[in-house]
Amino acid sequence: MEIMYTTELSKPGATVQPIAPQEDPELLAAFEARVAADEFIEPKDWMPEAYRKTLTRQISQHAHSEIVGMLPEGNWITRAPSLRRKAILLAKVQDEAGHGLYLYCAAETLGTSREEMIEALHSGKAKYSTIFNYPTLTWADIAAIGWLVDGAAIMNQVPLQRTSYGPYARAMVRVCKEESFHQRQGYEAMTELANGTPEQKRMAQDAFNRWWWPSLMMFGPPDENSPNTAQSLRWRIKRETNDELRQKFVDITVPQAEFLGLTVPDPELKWNEAKGGYDFGEIDWEEFYAVVRSEGPVARERITARREAWTQNAWVREAAAAHEAKRRSRAAA
Ligand code: BYC
């Protein structure tokens, strides 16, 4: 079997499977050369089936995460503590719907229909980020989500602005700008709580304790147990590994927590001068895999809410389709 050249330095511990042996070697070589030259691959360009498949998987899971991510925050719109907070939260939740929309559109350009993707989400076949299977118990959780979850999302998505598939990369540009506003508003809300009454400070610390570890899990399994990373780096779908991004997130977030006067819930957290970053405790990977298997605290509730939204709002889709059909028949007349 012919071994294709790589477009990335191999990472220690990563196993690269020889890919796509059934593909035309000349087309594959030309494709890999384009990727290596940092050209964007566009929808009508030739691409290996495995590239199409892994992108469809990642982009559609990313889209599902955006729309499932609307649920825990949407639950707090009526309970936001002031008109200003309500306006911000409404805007944020609407932004997440927009992100889902750009991402479903980007995934559709790879040949899978929106209906198929939604069906995969509702049947439990498709994954979405583990982070959204945790409950939002107090208002401080909304602040913590903005600060930590959107903070982790930016860390993960900024490199995706240079992912090799054009429609995905372009969607990420706007998404990252909006995520940056989301992170800022979360940190600002957290600052207010952390500097508020003793009860508000206690709420802030409690939310931080519950969201810290799940936020680190968002980056995915450790590199040595990440089956997709090696191939995705090689095709420049991913630009950095799960562990690299997780480390950057810890290094940026710990000083932010210190500024707030909050304690990172990790007794093993320690600055490592030699590596120029923090060492941190072992993530509970058993918990991560259980949540990936939809055993998270509110997984059932989330999918039920999505399914109900789909069926109860079918009339909106039907009305939009009928309106479009009328518009077309008028235009044709
Ligand atoms: N949760 O080989 P790996 C947001 C799965 S939206 C669930 O490392 P990959 C926001 C993974 O899919 C945040 N599953 O995979 C929204 C794979 O299973 P399959 C979403 C996870 O793809 C609203 C298996 O584990 N962000 O922030 O190379 C409001 C092995 O993993 C998770 C994105 O989707 C997880 N955390 O790397 C606020 C970003 N981690 O598919 C905020 C785009 C791993 O082979 N996605 N798995 O059956 C990515 O960057 C990559 O897909 C990941 C995983 C880093 C997540």
Side-chain angles (χ1 to χ4, degrees):
M1 189 181 300
E2 199 178 333
I3 302 294
M4 302 301 162
Y5 63 85
T6 66
T7 53
E8 293 286 342
L9 293 174
S10 58
K11 306 271 171 188
T15 42
V16 181
Q17 302 294 332
I19 42 102
Q22 76 282 15
E23 301 285 9
D24 178 323
E26 268 180 38
L27 287 173
L28 188 55
F31 168 85
E32 295 228 344
R34 290 186 63 197
V35 170
D38 265 339
E39 275 180 44
F40 283 126
I41 304 300
E42 297 298 340
K44 291 191 174 148
D45 295 345
W46 185 90
M47 62 187 80
E49 270 318 298
Y51 178 83
R52 186 184 299 279
K53 201 166 158 219
T54 201
L55 267 173
T56 304
R57 173 186 67 78
Q58 178 167 326
I59 303 174
S60 63
Q61 289 179 0
H62 193 165
H64 299 327
S65 304
E66 299 285 354
I67 59 161
V68 176
M70 295 168 74
L71 298 170
E73 294 186 292
N75 283 344
W76 277 88
I77 291 173
T78 54
R79 291 176 287 172
S82 69
L83 186 59
R84 178 171 171 269
R85 293 283 174 216
K86 191 195 283 272
I88 294 172
L89 189 57
L90 265 174
K92 180 181 190 303
V93 173
Q94 284 175 355
D95 284 351
E96 310 300 0
H99 298 176
L101 186 65
Y102 321 147
L103 286 160
Y104 283 123
C105 289
E108 279 179 308
T109 64
L110 291 156
T112 303
S113 72
R114 183 93 56 101
E115 286 69 23
E116 285 172 273
M117 288 185 264
I118 299 283
E119 170 51 29
L121 172 68
H122 291 175
S123 67
K125 207 173 123 215
K127 297 186 170 73
Y128 57 87
S129 184
T130 43
I131 195 77
F132 301 116
N133 284 334
Y134 292 87
T136 41
L137 303 180
T138 72
W139 171 253
D141 290 50
I142 299 305
I145 288 182
W147 171 33
L148 300 171
V149 175
D150 288 273
I154 298 175
M155 192 56 82
N156 167 273
Q157 290 168 23
V158 162
L160 292 176
Q161 293 177 108
R162 281 299 309 166
T163 190
S164 57
Y165 188 57
Y168 192 22
R170 290 189 287 276
M172 283 301 107
V173 174
R174 177 156 173 185
V175 169
C176 285
K177 288 198 168 70
E178 292 173 351
E179 297 290 21
S180 155
F181 151 66
H182 297 168
Q183 194 274 349
R184 291 296 301 217
Q185 66 81 36
Y187 193 65
E188 194 241 9
M190 206 66 176
T191 308
E192 214 163 290
L193 291 173
N195 292 295
T197 62
E199 176 60 10
Q200 284 174 319
K201 184 156 187 182
R202 194 197 58 73
M203 271 169 62
Q205 181 66 53
D206 172 60
F208 186 33
N209 293 348
R210 285 181 291 103
W211 289 92
W212 173 251
W213 292 104
S215 298
L216 298 192
M217 293 175 194
M218 280 176 74
F219 295 94
D223 293 348
E224 71 268 21
N225 294 327
S226 163
N228 298 301
T229 290
Q231 184 62 72
S232 287
L233 283 176
R234 173 190 168 109
W235 276 337
R236 300 197 175 179
I237 292 171
K238 283 166 95 164
R239 308 295 309 221
E240 291 179 65
T241 73
N242 300 356
D243 285 333
E244 285 165 356
L245 292 170
R246 189 169 11 248
Q247 180 70 52
K248 280 192 188 175
F249 175 73
V250 171
D251 293 344
I252 275 196
T253 312
V254 170
Q256 293 172 353
E258 283 167 357
F259 181 78
L260 295 177
L262 297 178
T263 308
V264 181
D266 178 359
E268 289 172 50
L269 185 82
K270 199 162 165 263
W271 177 254
N272 180 330
E273 193 61 49
K275 86 171 179 189
Y278 287 92
D279 289 332
F280 51 96
E282 181 67 16
I283 291 169
D284 183 348
W285 293 113
E286 291 295 315
E287 175 180 321
F288 168 77
Y289 286 113
V291 181
V292 170
R293 289 191 305 269
S294 297
E295 292 163 21
V298 289
R300 189 172 304 206
E301 195 179 317
R302 298 284 185 250
I303 280 299
T304 304
R306 285 301 329 155
R307 286 198 196 118
E308 282 177 4
W310 183 254
T311 40
Q312 285 169 9
N313 299 313
W315 67 272
V316 178
R317 294 191 300 280
E318 285 156 17
H323 175 73
E324 178 61 12
K326 258 194 213 163
R327 200 189 59 80
R328 283 185 189 206
S329 67
R330 264 200 304 269

